[in-house]
Amino acid sequence: MSAEVAIQKFSFPFSSALSLSQHDEVTQKGCVQVKALELRDLQEKKILSKPSPDPVIGALAHKENPAHESLAPSPAAQVLLCAEASHSAVLSRRSTFEKLTVESEDQRPAAKRQLSSESAARTITVVKKSAVRKEAEEQRHLKPKTHLGQKVTPCAAATGKRKRRKDLFTNSEVFHRVDEHVIRAGAELKEKCVYDVKTIVQSITQGARNELERLRAIWVWLCHNIEYDVSGYLGRSEKLSSPEEVIAAGRGVCCGYSNLCTEMCRESGLECQEVPGHSKGIGYRQGQSLKNVKSDHLWNAVLLGGQWFLLDACWGAGRVDMEHESFVKRFDDFYFLTDPEEFIDSHFPDEEKWQLLDRPIPLEEFERRVFKTSAFFTMGLRLIQPHHFHIVTDGGEANVSLGFSRPATFTYEITQHQDLLHCGASEQKESSSSSFGLLTVSHRSMKLQLLPPASGTYDVKVFARPEAAVTPLTWVCSFTVECHTPRAMEEIPENPFLSWGQQPVAGSLGIAGSSQGSEVAEVEEGVFELALKTSRPLMVLCELVHPQLEAAVAKRCLATQIQPDALTCHVLCPSHGFYRLSVFVRDYEKPEAKFQNAANFLLHCKGKVVGLEELFPPNLGSVCGPGTRTLEAGLSKFSHTAALLSTQQGKCNVTFHNQRDLELHTVLSREENKTAAIPLSRHLFCTYTDSKVTVSVSLPGAGVYRLGLYARIAPGGDFNPMCDFVLRNSCDQPGPAFPCVYSAWRKGSVLFEPRVGLLEPLSWVRFRVRVPGAQRVSVVGETRTDLKLNKSRVWEGEVFSGNGLQQLKLAACSGESGDMAVLMTFDIKQLEREV
């Protein structure tokens, strides 16, 4: 036999007791037997005279408190203890009793299921003889349960594991029926000017099925019908405290709420106590010592299922706006049966026992604790660092870090220190004007790096909201930062998008990964590249901000490439200091959708910077390099897949395939300080054979150029931009221009020689050209020279350039009419160069 002691308490109606008596008659020898006469006497005199305890929703329905379980049985119920009680019989009886108790409670009218301390004490105890001495010793230290209205301490109520709020109810939606009835009944009572506590309680608790629902009804009525008396708190009018006065006026200070709550609970048959103590409410100053200071707040503790729970109707009704000296009515369900571990952050009782904590904290610890609003807990946040509200900077820096289980959006506010904790708005809009810190959000945590601008003391408020919410961000916690020596640093640009790094919504917007984290990016050589992986095709826009950088110049610091599964942003930094790089995206296939902020990166450039002449060319398109748009148009197999091209010779060829045979157009541009002698269009030459296109570039000098590629998608339509290339030339030697090309130069035509558009005078020039379908090809200048067709279908011949008085024209005849169409023209250098 096991040596454990089986102690069980049962409360049952008459029918249950009779069944038990019959069961005991057939119990095997050596087990507990209850004398029929004494049991019948117990039934008639005790059980029938008192109803059984009221069950509580959920976990409270079938479990009694250990402290009450140990109470001795009534003398009228004589129980024989045997030396060898059967353990299996005990288990069988326990399950039988529990079943009977549940069934009988469900069948009895609600009016008879009222809490009674006397009936709760009627027990039948089954123990082993070997444990009787131990049980008797334990019971000496236990206090009997008191009657309603008599003071009960937490120690007398519970000695086992505490139930938490979530053990009583999963969420407040379970009270939807009760809450609606209370709000409706409360409005009717107010309209009828009913101020009697008993009448109000009877009305609002009508239909409540158990003590938890009765308490909920009282709580909701208090929060919706009594406003905080700001005038009374400020001493401008008499404070109302009696229940009748508070109900009639519809306002009261904290004692008005607590007194009325106690009185209403008494009328409802609930055990309720007022708990005096300190709170971090209006008038509280962070850092103040509360030692030897009279407590200034009252709240309540209520006994449910043999266990004490805490609630504060004053805080549940709303908040006080001290700036406008007004009460802001806002129902806050958090302060209904708040768990002690969370309640202690804002409420410190005068008596330690009312902390209801396994390890009570001292007053000094309460003073140091970080103040957390109800939103902190309802959003599932947790404090990582610091553990106390007062922070001293180290090297001009202080850090705050919060964890979260559900995605959230954060911002913060840092201001000069003010004495009162509850001052300023408790809600924050989308942006923060502060630039004295770096807020970064990762997958499961938020980090705030605070950088006070000068010596002194600062207040820091952290605001948050669930990621999917569109409401203003709510104040969740506060800190005080003391800075002795500020860090010498450059100004950080404002970030109106709340946090640094990827936004919590970046994943849902299609961002699958980033080459840069939320930390500061150190820019080397004045050049930075950001690469983002995407889960679907996206469009992107980027914004670069520097405190001393003009918007027009900042635009020339960015070049973006858009590919089906990636986004790339090239950044140039022309000044030292901090930059904000913000990324906005939308679905590529939804041009009507708005761009949304997906990430914000802080860049720091402290080394080499890029000169203004090295910035990207003006009028650079938002789409650089091959990508989604070119693939969509059927342009593929690009020889250069990046957006940026560099050349040291001033020459390059860009090739690709035109699968849909679109009509193409190319443009070359750069920032020009003066008009060039030869237009930049002469430094481009396109060759189109089969489906392959070659764009040849010969740059006129060192610098940065834009090569724009356009295509006509629909016949007769406009040319649409396909992509831009950025060409960076480091060669100072000017590249020669190409000949001037005309529309007759069509697909399949190839110019082999000469490839330059400016020829030497008085010289023989070899021409080699392929013109599909041509019947005759000639070069016309001062004279006409016909080219000959060789075996390779190439027209060739030697042509005299002349004295430079006339251009050379390459022309071809492709029909029977004999009309010649000009394909291109060549310029001749002038003989007289000297004056």
Side-chain angles (χ1 to χ4, degrees), residues 183-241:
I183 294 172
R184 184 173 59 253
E188 293 172 357
L189 291 166
K190 191 172 185 179
E191 187 177 346
K192 295 176 181 178
C193 299
V194 176
Y195 306 136
D196 178 62
V197 175
K198 185 174 183 180
T199 304
I200 293 174
V201 170
Q202 288 176 347
S203 176
I204 65 176
T205 58
Q206 186 177 3
R209 296 171 294 191
N210 47 58
E211 61 182 12
L212 178 58
E213 289 193 353
R214 294 201 301 275
L215 178 64
R216 175 70 180 190
I218 293 170
W219 157 266
V220 171
W221 184 89
L222 282 168
C223 293
H224 284 82
N225 290 274
I226 308 299
E227 295 187 359
Y228 190 81
D229 186 4
V230 180
S231 178
Y233 169 78
L234 296 173
R236 296 172 183 170
S237 62
E238 184 181 353
K239 292 181 182 179
L240 305 177
S241 57

Side-chain angles (χ1 to χ4, degrees), residues 677-697:
I678 300 176
L680 284 175
S681 58
R682 293 282 301 275
H683 290 270
L684 283 180
F685 192 86
C686 293
T687 304
Y688 188 4
T689 59
D690 297 328
S691 64
K692 185 177 181 181
V693 179
T694 301
V695 181
S696 300
V697 184

Side-chain angles (χ1 to χ4, degrees), residues 640-662:
H640 297 77
T641 56
L644 309 185
L645 282 68
S646 295
T647 173
Q648 295 178 347
Q649 292 81 30
K651 296 180 181 181
C652 67
N653 289 327
V654 176
T655 63
F656 56 91
H657 284 248
N658 183 6
Q659 297 170 337
R660 292 169 54 184
D661 198 19
L662 299 177

Side-chain angles (χ1 to χ4, degrees), residues 8-49:
Q8 192 61 245
K9 182 185 83 171
F10 304 98
S11 298
F12 45 87
F14 176 78
S15 59
S16 301
L18 185 60
S19 300
L20 174 62
S21 184
Q22 294 171 353
H23 174 81
D24 284 338
E25 290 178 359
V26 296
T27 305
Q28 63 178 355
K29 185 178 180 180
C31 294
V32 176
Q33 297 182 1
V34 181
K35 295 181 180 179
L37 181 60
E38 292 173 339
L39 179 57
R40 187 165 54 251
D41 182 68
L42 170 66
Q43 296 165 350
E44 294 174 354
K45 295 181 181 179
K46 302 296 180 182
I47 299 180
L48 290 179
S49 64

